[in-house]
Amino acid sequence: MPRGWSVGGILAAGGATSADLSAVLPDLAVIPGIRVLVRPDFSTARLWSETWSRSRSRIPQRCDVVVPATYILDLTGGFETVWTQRFSSKARSGIRNAQRKSEAAGLVIRSGNSPRLVSDFYKVYLRWLARRAVERQTPRLLAEWMGRRREPLRRFETVARVFGDRSRIWVAYLGDVPVATAYAVYHGTVGMGWRAFSDRELTGSLRTHEQLQVHAIEYACRIGCLSFDMGQAGGIAGLEHVKGRFGGTAHNVPEFTWETLPFSKFGRAFVELRRELERGSLALHNRRTGQRS
């Protein structure tokens, strides 16, 4: 799948086998193009890793392999079991407090996959882009142009239409203003938190992101899913902590990239440099704020 569409892999009756992967891996290495990227699903991660180890001597072109952690929530036992046994007590307490505050503030949460909900989802995304532009000191128009190219509205409209009830959008409103949203997709026994955005200036301490995550997980349990893919944390300690509080367990999932130039390595180095600069800028801002107070 193209980057941004999440995981992909091999389609095979009864599921891919090691023989399927052994046949396909050499072909991936010789596909013409600048880059070929494969991000398998977590449930097949071990099979991909083992087959790669046995087959790499037959692969005619260099491949860059990274193994980031993907956080998976076990849904067996249903939502009551997930709530009482897999969410931490701190997570449960935080959600209850947030729900009380939300009720007092008049927060309303709607869900479905209607064109209006897709549109409101995208409005929240655009406001999130604007805030990120300020945080990164990027021109707002440039950030929005890049964001629209990276995440076009048509993508979300298409998924809602094609997936039907196997796609679900939750939008939180204060009055008529959409302030937070989550987009999840479901297939077979697996649910996936695909996208989530919020306007922190409007939501304040309502913890809308966590509330919508709980709704997405509860829906997954209701339709018979046995696991929920919470995505990667990108090495960000805060995200790792939140996913852990909500029962996510880290699974190492390999990503395979064949490319003519080492774009992936340069990209990872750039992201790490940007994070270091953002952390330094935030620390400097906090010190200055503390001195003024």
Side-chain angles (χ1 to χ4, degrees):
M1 301 291 284
R3 186 173 290 280
W5 281 89
S6 195
V7 298
I10 294 176
L11 299 179
T17 65
S18 182
D20 296 326
L21 269 59
S22 296
V24 167
L25 279 167
D27 291 341
L28 290 172
V30 295
I31 292 176
I34 295 175
R35 173 189 292 171
V36 176
L37 169 69
V38 178
R39 287 186 58 199
D41 177 70
F42 78 94
S43 64
T44 63
R46 182 175 178 181
L47 179 65
W48 276 86
S49 295
E50 292 176 348
T51 306
W52 167 254
S53 296
R54 292 194 301 268
S55 305
R56 60 188 308 173
S57 61
R58 297 189 293 107
I59 308 299
Q61 186 174 334
R62 177 184 159 280
C63 178
D64 182 42
V65 182
V66 295
V67 190
T70 296
Y71 286 78
I72 306 298
L73 172 61
D74 178 11
L75 301 182
T76 55
F79 184 71
E80 185 63 27
T81 299
V82 172
W83 174 264
T84 58
Q85 298 181 20
R86 299 187 186 124
F87 287 4
S88 71
S89 59
K90 187 174 182 179
R92 295 195 301 271
S93 175
I95 288 298
R96 292 191 190 101
N97 289 335
Q99 288 172 339
R100 286 193 289 268
K101 290 180 180 179
S102 297
E103 185 176 351
L107 187 83
V108 175
I109 297 175
R110 300 188 178 98
S111 70
N113 54 17
S114 67
R116 178 191 170 183
L117 286 173
V118 176
S119 175
D120 288 345
F121 163 88
Y122 208 71
K123 290 176 184 176
V124 178
Y125 169 60
L126 294 178
R127 291 209 305 276
W128 177 84
L129 281 177
R131 190 193 77 237
R132 294 280 284 177
V134 172
E135 293 174 349
R136 295 181 172 181
Q137 299 182 347
T138 304
R140 178 172 176 173
L141 291 179
L142 175 62
E144 181 173 324
W145 177 79
M146 293 176 63
R148 286 181 181 273
R149 281 179 58 85
R150 185 170 55 247
E151 301 276 25
L153 173 60
R154 183 184 175 192
R155 167 184 293 175
F156 303 108
E157 292 173 334
T158 300
V159 170
R161 183 180 69 254
V162 173
F163 272 57
D165 289 340
R166 287 283 169 165
S167 70
R168 201 80 176 175
I169 303 168
W170 285 264
V171 180
Y173 297 86
L174 285 172
D176 293 328
V177 179
V179 296
T181 186
Y183 202 135
V185 291
Y186 306 88
H187 177 69
T189 59
V190 178
M192 177 181 294
W194 190 33
R195 294 289 187 273
F197 306 101
S198 65
D199 187 333
R200 291 197 306 235
E201 292 182 359
L202 297 178
T203 58
S205 62
L206 299 181
R207 302 173 82 160
T208 49
H209 171 71
E210 294 183 6
Q211 291 192 63
L212 298 182
Q213 177 90 325
V214 172
H215 280 287
I217 292 169
E218 185 175 13
Y219 182 81
C221 293
R222 189 161 68 244
I223 64 174
C225 291
L226 300 179
S227 62
F228 190 82
D229 188 334
M230 304 172 81
Q232 300 174 4
I236 300 173
L239 281 177
E240 292 173 350
H241 178 67
V242 170
K243 294 177 189 295
R245 285 199 294 119
F246 282 84
T249 301
H251 293 252
N252 291 327
V253 180
E255 294 182 2
F256 303 86
T257 308
W258 290 266
E259 50 195 4
T260 55
L261 293 172
F263 295 109
S264 296
K265 286 189 175 181
F266 289 142
R268 290 196 297 273
F270 174 77
V271 169
E272 186 56 35
L273 175 60
R274 188 188 69 202
R275 286 176 181 161
E276 287 295 329
L277 292 173
E278 289 177 350
R279 284 193 286 266
S281 176
L282 180 60
L284 180 61
H285 172 76
N286 290 338
R287 284 200 298 271
R288 287 176 175 174
T289 303
Q291 290 172 359
R292 287 197 297 269
S293 61

